[in-house]
Amino acid sequence: MKLLVSVLLFVGVASAARNGIDFIQPVTVATFQCIKNAGYSFVIPRVFTSVGTLDHTGINNVKNARAAGLTDVDGYIFPCLSASCPSAANQVKTTLDAIKSAGTKVSTLWLDIERLAWPANHVSNRAFIEAMVKEAQAYGQQVGIYSNYYNWQDIVGLDYTGQSNLMLWWATYDGIKDFSKFTPFGGWTRPTIHQWQGTTTGPCGVSVDMNYVP
């Protein structure tokens, strides 16, 4: 009996694992239904771009995914960092206002913290991230951080733990759907999501990155 219980518990844990995708191309409601039927339970479209503009395609993807019956629909901001960009807070505000105006919502708004045009000053970079998080939370929006050990090290420094209370979307293309190669950083001891494979042809012909939640 003990063995049977153990096996059932193991099966229950294994079956709880979930697969998801993030992407930037337009996806129809029908294709999202195909993605859902293929066993993918969460999707993360981009909703703001690194050049400082709303990703209207991504916002429409959020709407389409929900229309297809997906309930775990997030979005991610790729921050704009040049002097001509909106402020950190305004990038979040503009995004969340546009999502609301489109008649939809994201479960979690992820902030993409990876090496692209970030200044060398860790202090100002930390302040930028903090301003984005504060603005999202002022809206009552759940927010998380997308990054990895080396990006965090270069952008804010490994000693910065100011966002460790948020969920971590960990990006490491090791081809393994687990957390076994995770090295703690930034105060995180365990991620929430593992982006385990980069751009590939995913479910239903959509070009995606592959993600996993245990």
Side-chain angles (χ1 to χ4, degrees):
M1 179 61 72
K2 287 183 179 179
L3 177 60
L4 176 59
V5 170
S6 297
V7 169
L8 289 174
L9 286 173
F10 175 79
V11 170
V13 171
S15 65
R18 300 189 297 126
N19 295 306
I21 55 174
D22 64 277
F23 51 92
I24 60 174
Q25 73 181 76
V27 179
T28 65
V29 173
T31 301
F32 274 122
Q33 290 170 337
C34 175
I35 289 168
K36 181 183 177 184
N37 291 338
Y40 291 81
S41 63
F42 66 95
V43 299
I44 314 176
R46 185 183 65 187
V47 291
F48 191 89
T49 77
S50 61
V51 297
T53 59
L54 288 167
D55 188 333
H56 293 286
T57 295
I59 293 171
N60 195 55
N61 281 337
V62 172
K63 288 185 65 174
N64 287 348
R66 291 199 178 278
L70 286 159
T71 57
D72 196 348
V73 182
D74 297 348
Y76 74 90
I77 286 179
F78 203 130
C80 182
L81 301 158
S82 73
S84 62
C85 298
S87 69
N90 278 341
Q91 292 182 42
V92 172
K93 181 181 187 303
T94 298
T95 301
L96 292 176
D97 285 346
I99 291 169
K100 183 178 180 180
S101 293
T104 190
K105 63 181 180 177
V106 292
S107 302
T108 300
L109 182 68
W110 297 95
L111 307 178
D112 190 332
I113 311 303
E114 61 179 293
R115 289 171 288 193
L116 178 67
W118 283 89
N121 189 316
H122 285 179
V123 173
S124 65
N125 292 344
R126 294 174 183 184
F128 191 98
I129 294 168
E130 288 164 2
M132 287 195 294
V133 170
K134 183 178 179 181
E135 186 69 15
Q137 292 176 335
Y139 271 70
Q141 174 65 56
Q142 181 168 266
V143 60
I145 300 292
Y146 168 98
S147 198
N148 63 25
Y149 184 100
Y150 297 105
N151 283 307
W152 201 251
Q153 174 180 256
D154 288 356
I155 295 168
V156 295
L158 294 175
D159 60 326
Y160 178 58
T161 61
Q163 307 306 325
S164 60
N165 61 311
L166 302 180
M167 295 182 295
L168 175 65
W169 178 8
W170 171 52
T172 296
Y173 300 155
D174 57 13
I176 304 171
K177 293 198 293 182
D178 63 27
F179 297 165
S180 62
K181 294 186 178 180
F182 179 74
T183 299
F185 68 91
W188 288 289
T189 57
R190 179 181 172 86
T192 299
I193 303 175
H194 179 194
Q195 187 184 67
W196 60 275
Q197 185 176 6
T199 306
T200 186
T201 300
C204 309
V206 180
S207 178
V208 301
D209 298 325
M210 305 294 284
N211 298 275
Y212 163 83
V213 172

